[in-house]
Structure formats: C-alpha cells, structure tokens
Amino acid sequence: MRIRNMSRWVAGLLVVLAPLLTSAFVPLAARTGAAPASGAGTTGTVTIAAEAAGDRSSSVLDLPAGARIVSAELRWSSAGPAWCWFDGGAVVIPDLWAGAVAITADRVEPGERGATARADVTELLPAMLGADGETLSLTGFAAGADQECWAEWALIVVWSRENPAIAVGSTVVPEVARPGQRVRQGAVVGNTGDVALRDVTATFAGCRRELGLLQPGDHAEARCELPAPASGELLVEVSGTSPAGEVVTARTSGAVRAPAPEPAPSLEIHVDGTPHPTRPVTAVVRVSNTSAVPVHDVAVTGSPPACAHRIDELAPGRTSVHRCRVGPGESIDLVVSGRSAHGVVATAELVVAPEGEPGTAVAAPPSRPPAPPPPPPEAPVRAAELTEVGLVRESPAWTAGFIAVLGVLVMMVSVGALSAATRIGR
C-alpha cells in the first residue's frame, strides 16, 4: 500500500513537471557546418512513470557534421526517493533496453534522491541507435503487476570532429632536361590530419599510383617516369577519404628546367701557299675551331683530293694543321664541316686560284683614301683666232688695246711724213 500511495503522489508530481520534462528532449549538440574540434552533447532526460512502466521513450542524438564519438555513457536513476521495492526491502536496479540490446549498469553511485546507475555504451551505441543512426529509443523495466518502478535516463556523448588532411611534396630527376626527355618524378604523401585516410591515391601527368591506407602521421612515396613538358611544370595531385567519407586533396608541381642554349659551333679554314700555273706547290691547310664548344666529326673535303683530311674532334680555340701537294695549274677549293654535341652543323669554304689567274685569293694591301683630283689647268690665252671670213675674233679688252697701239703707229708715220715734206720744201 505504501508503494501505491507513493506512486499516486509521484504521478501527480509528473503532471505538474511535464513541461519541464519535455524540454529535456531538445538536443544540446546542434548540427552545424562549423563545429568545434571537440565537445560533449546530451540527448536529454526522459522519465518513465509508474503508469507508463515498460513504455518506450525516444530522443535524437544530433551531432555536428563530421563529428566522431569519443565516449558515450548512459545514466539512469529513480524518479522517486528509491528504486523499486520488493518484499523484504530489496532494491532493484532495472536494466534499460534499446531494441534487443540490454544495458546493464556498470556501477551504481548513491545520491540524495537515491542511487544512479551508469553504463559505458561507447561500443554499444551504434547498435542502440535506430536505422537513421541518430534516434535512441529506450524501454524501461516493470518488476511486476504489484511492483511498478520508473526511471529517468540521460545519454552523455563526448565527440570530436574529424580533421582529415593530406599533404604532398614532389621531386624531379634530372632537374635539367629538354622537352620530351624522360624524367622521373617522385611524390611524398603524408597524412597530416587526425584520422586515418583510405584509398590514398597519387595522380601524375602520365600515371596513377594507389597507396592504400595511411594512418595519421604516416608517409608514403610514389614515382612516375614521364616526358618533360615544354612548360617545365609537372603536376601531381593526391587524395584520400576519411572514415566519415570526406575526401581531402592536395596538389603540387615539380619543375624541370630546359638547358641553356648552346653556343653555335664555328670553323675557319686558311691556306698558306698559292697554286702555280706551271709547277707544283706545297700548301699548308689550317682549320680552327673559333667557337666555345667542341666540334665533332671535323672533315676537310674538296679539291685537290690530296688536301682532303679528317680531324674528328676539335676543341674550342684549337687549330689543326696539315700539308698537301697542289699540282701545276690546280685550284684549291676546300670545304670544312663539323657538328656540335647536339647536332648543330658548322661549315667554312676556301677557294684559291693559281697565281696570275682570275680569282686568285691574294691579300689586298690596306686601302687608302683616294687623293683629291688636281685642279683643271687654266686655258691658254690665244692672241687671235681667224674666222673663216678672215676677221679677227677676240675679247673686247684685247681688241681695244690693239686699236690704240695701231692708232699711235699711224700717227707716228703721219708725223714723220709731214716732217720730211717740210724739209724738202725748204
């Protein structure tokens, strides 16, 4: 009878406290896109009254996106001053049920309102949650028709959000290569997050490498052989998947440099000695490498055939000398050719004709500036020039002088004649 009176008293109290108990269903860990790194959430507190013994009470475990459960503890205690009373005054700690999973107390702690049962359900929690992975439904325990008991429960979950991360570094060997030349690119992949990554993959420009599972702090290497691109940039991208299904990626690039342009090879050819029209001569042929790179497969060809010569390799700044016989009247017409290590060809030609013939290669003396032309000679002054009609053609000044002299002579003759006539008259 005592138990029944207490049950009626508690039932009336529950009617008054119903609004407060309903608020216990509100999750304390709301789902947000930017959750803190770790935290704790409680699903709520639900009371199973004497009249509702054995009924199911539910709440939703709402965790932030990407959160993972660190620990979970279920706590339940009597809503009245004590647990269920049986004949003989024994105290019964009832189990709670989540579907077919029974939760039995690991330990019991006394309190002001009675004992509180606790159970570590970290491993059991996935099986306790419903098909949606969030809803937790618990069923209370009824001792019997004459002994009713009730309890309130709470689930305390400690969670942390996943922080998956991946990193990659790249190397290229050799670092200097021409476009199209085969190089080896390496990638060092590291799990820099706090959760394991599965399906880790490294993707190069020309191949794909599967690296499998990487634990936090672990590293793995991948390599690929591929042709050097004209841009010199070799991309590599890595990816991995966290336990919650989040895909993380990272990318980097290796660099390969093209070699500096090679100086062009150059050759010069000289001949000491000039062919003679009537007698043979000995010519000295000099071939020089005037470039800064070695020249390979150097060969002199042409005529006369006796002057042909193979030198093979000629170092920068070096000169090769050989002699040959040139027959009477033969011209020297020689070509020297060679190539650099990368196939660039250099040539030079020399033509020397026999002495005295056109085209003879004779060194010309240094040129001097031409002397200025002498001034034109002054024209001689001619006294007179007879024309076809016998007249005198002269300049006006000369004619005037001539007339004056002639007048003087005429006057002198006239005066002399007059003087003689006078003397005769006397």
Side-chain angles (χ1 to χ4, degrees), residues 210-240:
E210 303 289 344
L211 301 177
L213 181 68
L214 277 185
Q215 296 294 336
D218 286 353
H219 293 80
E221 295 186 12
R223 294 183 178 85
C224 180
E225 184 174 337
L226 66 166
S231 65
E233 185 179 18
L234 294 168
L235 294 176
V236 57
E237 181 174 353
V238 296
S239 63

Side-chain angles (χ1 to χ4, degrees), residues 80-264:
W83 291 95
C84 298
W85 289 87
F86 286 87
D87 292 341
V91 178
V92 177
I93 305 297
D95 289 344
L96 293 184
W97 290 79
V101 180
I103 299 97
T104 303
D106 297 333
R107 61 192 185 279
V108 178
E109 297 177 353
E112 294 181 358
R113 298 180 55 209
T116 298
R118 296 173 181 264
D120 184 352
V121 294
T122 305
E123 301 296 332
L124 294 176
L125 188 58
M128 293 166 56
L129 297 175
D132 60 0
E134 296 180 347
T135 303
L136 177 63
S137 298
L138 295 178
T139 303
F141 174 84
D146 296 333
Q147 290 98 5
E148 297 173 347
C149 60
W150 58 94
E152 60 183 14
W153 59 268
L155 177 67
I156 292 85
V157 176
V158 177
W159 55 271
S160 67
R161 189 181 186 278
E162 287 184 351
N163 292 290
I166 196 169
V168 60
S170 178
T171 59
V172 179
V173 179
E175 295 181 354
V176 178
R178 296 181 178 275
Q181 181 180 342
R182 305 293 290 183
V183 297
R184 294 184 303 277
Q185 184 178 16
V188 179
V189 186
N191 182 348
T192 56
D194 58 5
V195 292
L197 295 177
R198 55 183 171 84
D199 302 329
V200 178
T201 304
T203 304
F204 299 87
C207 51
R208 179 185 175 93
R209 298 288 183 262
E210 303 289 344
L211 301 177
L213 181 68
L214 277 185
Q215 296 294 336
D218 286 353
H219 293 80
E221 295 186 12
R223 294 183 178 85
C224 180
E225 184 174 337
L226 66 166
S231 65
E233 185 179 18
L234 294 168
L235 294 176
V236 57
E237 181 174 353
V238 296
S239 63
T241 305
S242 73
E246 182 179 354
V247 177
V248 290
T249 61
R251 65 174 56 190
T252 187
S253 62
V256 57
R257 304 190 311 274
E262 180 188 61

Side-chain angles (χ1 to χ4, degrees), residues 371-419:
E378 296 182 0
V381 179
R382 291 176 293 179
E385 182 178 350
L386 297 178
T387 64
E388 294 180 356
V389 293
L391 297 178
V392 177
R393 186 170 59 192
E394 58 208 354
S395 64
W398 191 90
T399 303
F402 177 76
I403 293 175
V405 173
L406 183 60
V408 172
L409 292 176
V410 171
M411 291 178 62
M412 292 178 63
V413 172
S414 301
V415 171
L418 290 176
S419 301

